[in-house]
């Protein structure tokens, strides 16, 4: 039995660790986890970046799966390779699905004032997290938000806000949580709903998402 190759792209500033709770049959699927590359420059287009990401794909006709910004990236990557299926999780299919606050940030250029130093030096800041709940959250952030390069963070924020996709690409499956506060479901159409799913449901509802992925690829 030939295994279906799947390439995963994590969310903004996240590493492949965010996919560790997925339960996909190793007899059916061959899993590959891509890492973020260093942008060539702040002005590098998302199109050029996506083309460079596809250089790490060795199999033909793979499945591409991306979370959040990774969902945007796999859609861009699919423009350079023949993908069997594109699955996005907690993401958007077009720039019209971005919330108003994102559009306002783009219009006012306020995103350029975002304190990226806080993320790039996140490990240093977590020592100030007080209380059991905050310390637990800090531990999670340190583990999963592992990409802290300031140049990458600046580039990726700009890439999200300036994404030019106006119409959904073909062959895309969109899995989205009903309680996603980053990309509110009210702005989004044509999805597979995950009840109670938040923006980090790849961690909290991995079993449900695994089932949806498997059903999508075997139907």
């Amino acid at each position: 039995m030939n295994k279906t190759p799947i390439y995963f792209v994590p969310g903004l500033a996240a590493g492949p660790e965010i996919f560790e709770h997925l339960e996909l049959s190793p007899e059916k699927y061959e899993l590959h986890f891509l890492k973020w590359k260093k942008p060539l420059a702040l002005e590098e287009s998302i199109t050029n970046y996506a083309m460079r990401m596809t250089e790490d794909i060795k199999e033909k006709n793979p499945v591409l799966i991306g979370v959040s910004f990774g969902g945007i990236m796999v859609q861009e990557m699919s423009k350079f390779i023949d993908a069997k299926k594109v699955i996005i999780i907690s993401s958007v299919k077009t720039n019209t699905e971005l919330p108003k606050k994102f559009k306002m940030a783009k219009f006012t250029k306020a995103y350029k004032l975002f304190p990226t130093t806080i993320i790039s030096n996140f490990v240093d800041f977590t020592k100030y997290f007080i209380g059991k709940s905050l310390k637990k959250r800090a531990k999670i952030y340190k583990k999963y938000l592992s990409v802290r390069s300031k140049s990458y963070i600046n580039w990726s924020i700009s890439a999200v806000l300036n994404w030019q996709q106006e119409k959904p690409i073909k062959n895309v499956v969109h899995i989205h949580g009903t309680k996603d506060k980053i990309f509110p479901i009210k702005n989004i159409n044509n999805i597979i709903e995950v009840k109670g799913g938040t923006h980090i449901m790849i961690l909290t509802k991995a079993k449900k998402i695994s089932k949806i992925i498997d059903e999508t690829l075997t139907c």
Side-chain angles (χ1 to χ4, degrees), residues 29 34 81 125 128:
Y29 306 111
L34 300 181
I81 63 172
F125 282 95
Y128 299 110

Side-chain angles (χ1 to χ4, degrees), residues 43-112:
E43 297 77 20
E44 181 178 13
S45 68
I46 191 172
T47 300
N48 193 72
Y49 190 99
M51 181 175 64
R52 292 199 294 123
M53 288 287 281
T54 62
E55 293 173 359
D56 295 328
I57 294 179
K58 307 304 179 183
E59 287 80 8
K60 293 182 179 180
N61 204 221
V63 174
L64 302 179
I65 298 180
V67 171
S68 191
F69 179 47
I72 291 175
M73 186 56 62
V74 294
Q75 291 174 79
E76 289 295 317
M77 291 167 63
S78 71
K79 298 174 183 179
F80 295 98
I81 63 172
D82 291 325
K84 178 178 180 180
K85 187 79 69 176
V86 177
I87 300 175
I88 65 173
I89 302 165
S90 306
S91 190
V92 292
K93 297 183 292 300
T94 68
N95 55 12
T96 59
E97 291 184 340
L98 291 170
K100 288 183 179 180
K101 59 185 177 182
F102 280 51
K103 298 172 184 177
M104 182 61 69
K106 175 186 176 182
F107 178 75
T108 62
K109 305 295 183 182
Y111 66 93
K112 293 186 177 181

Side-chain angles (χ1 to χ4, degrees), residues 15-33:
E17 298 83 7
I18 69 168
F19 298 109
E20 65 183 8
H21 299 304
L22 292 179
E23 301 175 2
L24 297 170
S25 171
E27 296 181 356
K28 294 170 63 176
Y29 306 111
E30 183 178 319
L31 310 183
H32 305 272
F33 302 94

Side-chain angles (χ1 to χ4, degrees), residues 85-210:
K85 187 79 69 176
V86 177
I87 300 175
I88 65 173
I89 302 165
S90 306
S91 190
V92 292
K93 297 183 292 300
T94 68
N95 55 12
T96 59
E97 291 184 340
L98 291 170
K100 288 183 179 180
K101 59 185 177 182
F102 280 51
K103 298 172 184 177
M104 182 61 69
K106 175 186 176 182
F107 178 75
T108 62
K109 305 295 183 182
Y111 66 93
K112 293 186 177 181
L113 302 177
F114 185 81
T116 52
T117 301
I118 292 179
I119 296 180
S120 58
N121 295 325
F122 186 78
V123 174
D124 295 331
F125 282 95
T126 55
K127 62 185 177 183
Y128 299 110
F129 282 44
I130 300 174
K132 187 175 180 180
S133 177
L134 285 179
K135 287 186 179 296
K136 182 178 180 180
R137 187 174 298 179
K139 185 177 181 180
I140 293 173
Y141 288 169
K142 282 196 291 184
K143 178 177 181 180
Y144 295 110
L145 297 181
S146 58
V147 184
R148 304 187 183 99
S149 164
K150 187 175 180 180
S151 62
Y152 161 76
I153 294 169
N154 280 327
W155 174 83
S156 57
I157 291 172
S158 177
V160 172
L161 297 181
N162 292 287
W163 193 38
Q164 298 299 309
Q165 191 70 29
E166 297 180 352
K167 295 181 179 180
I169 65 169
K170 296 180 180 180
N171 205 31
V172 63
V173 174
H174 190 168
I175 305 171
H176 210 83
T178 59
K179 293 187 177 182
D180 192 315
K181 293 183 179 180
I182 303 298
F183 297 135
I185 197 170
K186 66 180 181 180
N187 300 319
I188 299 172
N189 299 309
N190 300 320
I191 61 171
I192 299 175
E193 286 190 9
V194 175
K195 297 294 183 182
T198 65
H199 197 64
I200 60 168
M201 67 179 185
I202 191 66
L203 299 176
T204 60
K205 294 188 178 294
K207 187 173 182 179
K208 173 66 174 178
I209 293 173
S210 299

